[in-house]
Amino acid sequence: MNITVFNGSPRINGNTDIILQEVLKALDEKIHTVNVFRLNNMNIKPCQDCGGCDDTGQCVIEDDMDIIYKAIREADRVVLASPIFFSALSAQTKIMIDRCQSLWCEKYLLKKQIPPGRFGRKGLILLVGGMKKDTGIKCGEESGRAFFRSIGIPTHETLGFTGVDKKGAILEHPTALRDVYDATRRLINDE
Ligand SMILES: Cc1cc2nc3c(=O)[nH]c(=O)nc-3n(C[C@H](O)[C@H](O)[C@H](O)COP(=O)(O)O)c2cc1C
């Protein structure tokens, strides 16, 4: 399978990085092709709402999204991982998602679907927030859901971890690493 992983955290060795290590552990890279995108390091301009994709489903901006569009089209599985910033996905994550408006146009205006391939297409959303309240997790999950549906991913699972703030605090969570590992195994095994 082709597996595309988005890391929306700017913090190196932070909580999102740590749970994504569990994702990679659960994926056998000898069997699967895994592409991890650290969005913070990429050159991605925000959507300009120019309408340039309305009739074509193709974004007119040329930047690192070109590689991401290709990875999204070829993916059998997509993992979207983000910290919660101000009750939402990180800006790094959201900028990438907004640029998928072109794929939204392709699906909903041009009525074209990304072909599901022999494994179908499924997603996993992983969210980490410092606060105990899950408001940000709920908001992030809604954006992630809209993203997945727009890129032709009809089903996904979401894991949200609250009260995880300091760098590395996820290591003290009683179940997080195991939960992420198990969810990743389900992502690739439940076809
Ligand atoms: C700019 C900023 C805004 C944040 N806003 C929230 C928030 O609204 N809700 C929340 O639960 N945590 C919030 N946090 C805390 C982060 O979600 C938390 O530290 C998380 O563990 C960071 O994940 P990372 O280590 O993968 O970057 C915020 C952190 C930053 C830097």
Side-chain angles (χ1 to χ4, degrees), residues 14 18 22 24 30 45 54 58 89 99 112 151 188:
I18 292 168
E22 285 309 300
L24 297 180
K30 288 195 203 99
K45 195 176 159 82
D54 286 0
Q58 302 280 326
L89 298 174
R99 286 286 299 284
K112 283 196 217 155
I151 65 169
I188 51 173

Side-chain angles (χ1 to χ4, degrees), residues 37-179:
F37 294 100
R38 181 176 278 280
L39 297 170
N40 195 51
N41 294 349
M42 299 184 76
N43 172 31
I44 305 176
K45 195 176 159 82
C47 175
Q48 301 297 298
D49 193 9
C50 65
C53 59
D54 286 0
D55 298 330
T56 62
Q58 302 280 326
C59 183
V60 296
I61 303 169
E62 288 179 12
D63 59 13
D64 288 348
M65 276 304 290
D66 294 340
I67 323 164
I68 289 182
Y69 292 134
K70 184 171 183 294
I72 286 175
R73 287 184 186 283
E74 291 175 356
D76 302 301
R77 301 288 184 265
V78 177
V79 178
L80 182 73
S82 176
I84 299 301
F85 286 175
F86 283 88
S87 298
L89 298 174
S90 69
Q92 290 84 345
T93 311
K94 188 59 166 43
I95 286 176
M96 182 280 292
I97 288 179
D98 287 356
R99 286 286 299 284
C100 291
Q101 176 66 4
S102 55
L103 293 168
W104 184 94
C105 289
E106 180 176 290
K107 180 174 177 186
Y108 295 106
L109 302 181
L110 306 178
K111 313 282 182 208
K112 283 196 217 155
Q113 280 279 7
I114 295 175
R118 57 188 273 244
F119 303 110
R121 280 161 71 82
K122 284 176 56 177
L124 175 63
I125 302 174
L126 300 173
L127 303 170
V128 185
M131 288 169 55
K132 291 209 174 86
K133 277 176 72 174
D134 67 352
T135 319
I137 303 286
K138 284 185 182 148
C139 293
E141 137 89 348
E142 278 311 308
S143 290
R145 174 190 301 274
F147 168 60
F148 277 161
R149 298 304 172 268
S150 300
I151 65 169
I153 294 191
T155 58
H156 71 273
E157 188 173 347
T158 301
L159 298 186
F161 302 103
T162 53
V164 178
D165 201 11
K166 288 204 180 97
K167 193 170 172 174
I170 195 86
L171 294 168
E172 287 148 39
H173 189 286
T175 62
L177 300 190
R178 185 79 224 174
D179 293 346

